Amino acid sequence: MIHPLPTPVQYLGEDGSVRPGVTLPGTPDDWYALWHTMLLVREYDRKLVTLLRQGRTTFYAQAAGMEATQVGIGRALRPGHDWVWGYYRDQGIALTMGARLQDLAAQMLGSNSDPNRGRQMPHHYGSAQINFVSASSSIANQVPPATGTALAQKMLGTDEVTVCTFGDGATSEGDWHAGLNMAGVQQVPCVFVCENNQWAISTPLSRQTASDGIVAKAAGYGMPGVQVDGNDVLAVWAVVQEAVDRARRGGGPTLVEALTYRMGAHSNADADAEKTYRSREEVQHWQARDPLVRFERFLERQGHSISAAQRSEAVASLHRQIDEAIQEAENSGQPDWRSMFEDVYADMPVHLRRQYQQLRLEQEAGQS
Amino acid sequence: MTTTESRPAGTSGAGESTTLTLIQAITLGMQGEMRRDPRVVVFGEDVGARGGVFLATAGLQQEFGEERVFDTPLSEAAIVGAAVGMAVRGLRPIAEIQFADYMGPGFDQLVSQAAKLRYRSGGQFSCPMVVRTPSGGGVKGGHHHSQSPEAYYCHTPGLKVVMPSTPYDALGLLRAAVRGADPVIYFEPKRLYRAVKGEVPTEDYIVELGRAAVRQSGTDLSLIGYGGVMPDVLKAAQALGEQGVSVEVLDLRSLVPWDREAVMASVARTGRAVLVSEAPRIGSFMTEVASSIQEDVFDSLLAPVGLVAGFDTPYPYAQDRVYLPGAGRIVNAAVQTLNYG
Ligand SMILES: Cc1ncc(C[n+]2csc(CCOP(=O)(O)OP(=O)(O)O)c2C)c(N)n1
C-alpha cells in the first residue's frame, strides 16, 4: 500500500529530488520513455494550437500542464488489452498507449483517414486498436459505460481492467455518481481517475464541490481513494499501477484524484482565460510546477540528464513527425458525402437509403 | 414486405404452438435467448428475486443465477450506461427500465452514448443492447406510470424502436432485437401484458424489425396503429365491418425502422387512412406517418389522413379511460374520413 506517504502521494519533490522512503518504478530506460512521451504531448499541444490559429481545424482542448497525469495513467495500462473510457482532453493517454499520430491528426481534421470517419467535432479521438472508446462530448457520460465494460470484463473472466477518466467538473454530474455507485456495488475492475486540473472552463473547484477534494467521495461508494500529485509522473504511474493491479486481481475499483493544472485555455473558445477568470499569479504558481521541467530535474539528479542539444533534437524530430502526420491526414481528403449515411445502424435501413437516394440526386444535379 | 398474420409466417398449421399472454411471451423470449447465448444478461431494478414489478423476469434468476440476472442500484443512468459498456465489451445486455416514464435519468445514456457510439466511432464500436420498458396507459397509473414517450426515441438516429401488441410479435421482435447489432428500445404496452393472449409457435422464429403486420385485409379504409391501441383498433374495424365498411388493419410493430412500403401499399389501395396512437399528438410518431402518406400517395387519397391520438395533456389519473383513444373515437374518425367530400 501507498499509505505511509502523506496525501497527496508524491514521489518527486519540486526540485526533482526523490522523496524519502520511495521505491521508484521503472528503469532509466522507462524514465527516458516517459520523458519522451511527455515531450511529445507538449509539442503536439503546441502544434495543435498553431493549427487552430491557422484555421486548419476548429476545436482543440489543451493538455499542457497535464502531461504527467496522462502519461502516468497510460503507462499503467496494457495497450490492446485494457480498456479506456476517457474524455476529449486525453490525447496524452492515447499517445502513451501507442495511438498513431496520423489517426489523432486525421480525427482533428475530420478527414478521410480519421478512424472515426469524420463523425465528430475535432479532438474526440477513439481507436478500437487500443481499446480506447471514442470520446463523447457529453460530460461524465462515459462513467456508467466504463462501469459496464468493467463488469463485462469481470463476467467474461478476463484479466482486463478499464480506466475511466474525467475532469473535476464531471464529478458533479448524476452520471458520475451513478457510475461509481454501481462500480462499488459490483466490485468491478475499473480505475476511475479524476484529472483535477482545478477548473471546469471558468468554474473553479470550490464552486464544483464542497467536499475536501474529489478523493473524499470514494468512501461514499465503498472504494479506496488516493490523491496523487498529478504533476509527478512517477507517482501517478505508481498509484494508478497499484489500482490497476488490484483491479486485475479482483480487488475492485479505485478512485484516484490527480492534482494538476491546465496551463492553457480550456479550449480555443476560451482564449482569454487569464483576463477573465484566473489570476496571473495562479498561472505562474503552476508554471513553476511544470511536470516536464520537474522530471528533467529528476533525470539530471539521477545522472541521466538531457542536454540542451538532445532536447532540441528531440523537439525537432517530434515536430517533423507531427507535421508529417497532419500532412498525411490532410492529404487523405474529405470523407465522401455518402459515408454520412453509414454506421448509423449496422445495416442501412430503408428510410436512410431513401434519404441517401434523394441527396444523391441533388449532388449529381449540383455537380453537372 | 408485410406478413399477413392470422397464422404466423413460416409456420404451417401443423407446427407446435402454445397459448401465451404478452408478458409470458416476453419472459419466454428472454429465457430462450439466455439459454441460446451465454452472453445475454438481464438486469434492472428488482428484476432478480422478485422477477420485476410486472414479473416479466420471473424465474430467470433462479435458472441463470445472480451473475446473469441481477438487481442494480436504483439508477437508470447506471442501468442504461452499464448496458452500453457491457455491449461494447461483448455481452448482450437486456436492461429493464421499470417504467418508460423513468427513463429520464438514463436518457442521456441512451441517446448520447448507445445511439451514437457506432456512428461517432466510424463503426469501430457498437452497442448491441436492448432496453425493455413498460409504457402506455390504461392501468390507472397517473402520468408517471402511463406515458407513451416513443416519439422522443424515434427522433434519435441510431436507436431502433419497437412496440409489439401480440404475444407472437412480442417474442419474435424480442429475439430479433437481442440478436441484432444495434441498440433497441423495446416498449411493452403494459395494459396488454395479461389482457391479450395468442398462439405462439414453440419453434424458433423471429419477427424482423421494420415489417408491419396486416391484421385484417380490406378495401375501403386503412386503420394503422401499434402497441396498446391495437385491440381497440381491431374492435373499431369490427364495428365498421358490421356497418358494411371493408377495413384494412395494419400494426406497425416497429417504429424505427417502420414499414413505409406496407403503409403506402395499403393506403394506395384503400385511398383512406386513419392513424391511431395513444401518445400525445404534437410531434407524435403518427404525424411522421401522416406526412409520409401525403408525400408518397397523395394522388390516391380520397380524404385527408385522419389521426386519432392522445390529448396534449399530461396523462390524467381519473380520466384514464377517456384519455385513451378507444374504439368509439376510432370509429368516429373513420366515419369522418369515409364521409369526406
Ligand atoms: C453535459 C454537458 N454539460 C456541459 C458541457 C459543456 N462543457 C464542455 S467542457 C466543460 C467543463 C468540463 O470541465 P472538467 O470536467 O473539469 O474537465 P476539463 O475540461 O477541465 O478537463 C463544460 C461545462 C458538456 N460538454 N456536457
Side-chain angles (χ1 to χ4, degrees):
Chain A
M1 287 299 285
I2 305 158
H3 287 315
L5 285 169
T7 301
V9 177
Q10 203 179 50
Y11 277 27
L12 304 181
E14 270 150 32
D15 56 0
S17 60
V18 178
R19 299 288 303 242
V22 157
T23 311
L24 293 174
T27 63
D29 280 350
D30 293 322
W31 302 338
Y32 179 77
L34 289 175
W35 169 77
H36 195 260
T37 311
M38 287 202 286
L39 191 67
L40 167 61
V41 181
R42 177 67 56 90
E43 296 310 317
Y44 179 77
D45 214 73
R46 255 193 249 288
K47 278 282 176 191
L48 266 285
V49 172
T50 312
L51 202 71
L52 263 171
R53 296 218 173 100
Q54 293 168 340
R56 287 155 75 197
T57 187
T58 56
F59 178 83
Y60 180 67
Q62 288 179 253
M66 298 168 69
E67 294 90 349
T69 293
Q70 297 189 353
V71 172
I73 295 168
R75 184 61 182 77
L77 295 172
R78 292 190 205 156
H81 183 76
D82 295 327
W83 283 64
V84 178
W85 280 90
Y87 76 120
Y88 49 82
R89 205 184 295 281
D90 277 334
Q91 59 267 38
I93 300 180
L95 286 167
T96 312
M97 294 182 78
R100 284 157 34 93
L101 272 172
Q102 293 93 317
D103 290 349
L104 283 175
Q107 202 284 321
M108 284 302 308
L109 300 169
S111 65
N112 202 26
S113 57
D114 171 14
N116 292 337
R117 307 186 74 194
R119 296 286 171 58
Q120 294 198 85
M121 66 189 289
H123 212 24
H124 288 68
Y125 165 84
S127 167
Q129 267 168 7
I130 56 169
N131 300 333
F132 197 102
V133 183
S134 306
S136 153
S137 297
S138 192
I139 296 293
N141 85 344
Q142 71 276 27
V143 182
T147 296
T149 293
L151 184 53
Q153 291 166 328
K154 182 180 166 184
M155 293 173 85
L156 292 167
T158 71
D159 70 342
E160 301 161 14
V161 170
T162 296
V163 160
C164 179
T165 60
F166 40 82
D168 42 299
T171 66
S172 298
E173 289 279 6
D175 274 7
W176 188 85
H177 298 274
L180 266 85
N181 184 55
M182 182 149 159
V185 170
Q186 291 281 351
Q187 286 292 295
V188 298
C190 192
V191 181
F192 298 95
V193 188
C194 179
E195 300 181 33
N196 180 354
N197 63 13
Q198 313 300 326
W199 292 92
I201 310 187
S202 63
T203 306
L205 189 66
S206 60
R207 291 255 155 215
Q208 206 64 247
T209 177
S211 67
D212 189 10
I214 302 304
V215 70
K217 298 170 199 284
Y221 304 114
M223 62 180 78
V226 189
Q227 200 177 44
V228 61
D229 182 335
N231 284 9
D232 175 346
V233 67
L234 294 180
V236 176
W237 176 15
V239 162
V240 176
Q241 189 72 65
E242 185 180 314
V244 164
D245 292 346
R246 184 172 52 250
R248 220 186 283 294
R249 287 193 309 267
T254 304
L255 173 62
V256 175
E257 176 182 13
L259 299 175
T260 183
Y261 195 74
R262 74 167 151 79
M263 300 202 295
H266 167 75
S267 73
N268 52 303
D270 174 43
D272 282 341
E274 269 153 59
K275 287 194 198 110
T276 53
Y277 60 85
R278 56 188 198 183
S279 68
R280 190 92 278 210
E281 296 76 64
E282 180 187 300
V283 177
Q284 279 165 354
H285 170 88
W286 283 95
Q287 270 165 351
R289 283 155 187 78
D290 184 324
L292 252 170
V293 174
R294 190 194 301 188
F295 200 62
E296 284 167 13
R297 288 189 188 132
F298 159 76
L299 290 174
E300 202 173 303
R301 282 170 174 266
Q302 296 293 313
H304 306 290
S305 60
I306 289 157
S307 70
Q310 262 178 311
R311 198 180 197 284
S312 57
E313 201 179 307
V315 167
S317 151
L318 288 172
H319 281 199
R320 266 197 309 280
Q321 290 171 40
I322 297 164
D323 285 341
E324 275 167 23
I326 294 169
Q327 200 54 57
E328 193 180 314
E330 273 179 340
N331 290 347
S332 76
Q334 289 298 302
D336 189 276
W337 66 265
R338 288 172 186 83
S339 78
M340 181 167 76
F341 295 92
E342 292 161 7
D343 302 317
V344 183
Y345 301 95
D347 299 307
M348 201 185 293
V350 64
H351 68 278
L352 281 178
R353 281 208 295 274
R354 197 181 158 102
Q355 290 166 21
Y356 165 89
Q357 290 301 347
Q358 269 167 8
L359 185 57
R360 186 175 64 83
L361 293 177
E362 283 173 30
Q363 291 284 317
E364 282 171 5
Q367 277 155 14
S368 61
Chain B
M1 247 254 337
T2 305
T3 44
T4 304
E5 249 170 73
S6 42
R7 194 91 219 163
T11 60
S12 67
E16 293 281 309
S17 70
T18 44
T19 305
L20 297 176
T21 62
L22 187 83
I23 196 161
Q24 283 171 333
I26 290 164
T27 309
L28 196 70
M30 285 188 276
Q31 184 192 46
E33 290 309 286
M34 293 191 82
R35 285 181 182 169
R36 190 186 58 82
D37 183 348
R39 297 172 304 168
V40 177
V41 290
V42 169
F43 52 91
E45 291 157 17
D46 308 302
V47 301
R50 149 108 193 144
V53 290
F54 288 101
L55 301 179
T57 57
L60 296 182
Q61 190 177 65
Q62 283 85 331
E63 179 173 350
F64 300 103
E66 291 182 33
E67 270 254 304
R68 288 180 69 195
V69 182
F70 58 93
D71 291 333
T72 63
L74 208 171
S75 167
E76 292 71 22
I79 295 166
V80 183
V84 171
M86 292 164 90
V88 167
R89 184 55 195 87
L91 296 182
R92 291 273 167 161
I94 304 176
E96 176 173 305
I97 297 297
Q98 208 155 73
F99 289 87
D101 313 71
Y102 299 127
M103 183 61 90
F107 189 76
D108 186 52
Q109 288 299 329
L110 198 57
V111 308
S112 305
Q113 280 289 2
K116 307 279 196 295
L117 188 56
R118 178 187 294 282
Y119 197 71
R120 78 165 190 256
S121 69
Q124 296 184 92
F125 298 99
S126 63
C127 312
M129 57 184 265
V130 180
V131 176
R132 293 179 33 248
T133 188
S135 76
V139 297
K140 294 297 267 181
H143 57 255
H144 283 159
H145 297 88
S146 305
Q147 293 170 96
S148 297
E150 58 272 14
Y152 292 121
Y153 304 95
C154 294
H155 202 60
T156 300
L159 264 188
K160 292 186 172 178
V161 182
V162 168
M163 198 181 312
S165 76
T166 67
Y168 177 89
D169 286 351
L171 183 52
L173 287 165
L174 186 59
R175 286 186 182 134
V178 173
R179 296 174 197 181
D182 292 305
V184 177
I185 182 161
Y186 181 98
F187 288 104
E188 300 170 1
K190 63 173 96 69
R191 74 172 172 283
L192 304 190
Y193 267 154
R194 293 181 171 79
V196 302
K197 282 196 168 132
E199 288 284 291
V200 175
T202 47
E203 76 197 18
D204 193 42
Y205 69 92
I206 62 157
V207 174
E208 201 182 324
L209 273 55
R211 306 269 163 107
V214 177
R215 300 294 183 206
Q216 169 179 319
S217 302
T219 51
D220 296 337
L221 170 77
S222 303
L223 274 184
I224 303 166
Y226 62 88
V229 299
M230 283 315 296
D232 285 314
V233 170
L234 287 165
K235 232 183 276 174
Q238 202 192 337
L240 290 161
E242 283 160 12
Q243 294 172 43
V245 184
S246 168
V247 180
E248 180 143 303
V249 177
L250 259 70
D251 181 347
L252 291 179
R253 307 194 284 195
S254 83
L255 307 184
V256 179
W258 68 285
D259 199 341
R260 187 165 173 149
E261 208 187 322
V263 168
M264 298 316 154
S266 176
V267 179
R269 216 167 29 243
T270 62
R272 292 183 175 88
V274 171
L275 315 178
V276 188
S277 153
E278 68 184 270
R281 179 185 172 111
I282 294 177
S284 77
F285 184 72
M286 281 311 194
T287 57
E288 165 67 12
V289 177
S291 138
S292 302
I293 289 173
Q294 65 85 20
E295 209 171 57
D296 284 11
V297 292
F298 185 76
D299 289 343
S300 312
L301 287 178
L302 304 170
V305 177
L307 180 52
V308 184
F311 299 106
D312 290 313
T313 68
Y315 194 99
Y317 170 74
Q319 301 93 341
D320 190 272
R321 284 289 164 184
V322 188
Y323 180 92
L324 290 172
R329 271 172 65 208
I330 300 169
V331 168
N332 287 347
V335 168
Q336 219 173 10
T337 303
L338 289 161
N339 290 343
Y340 179 79

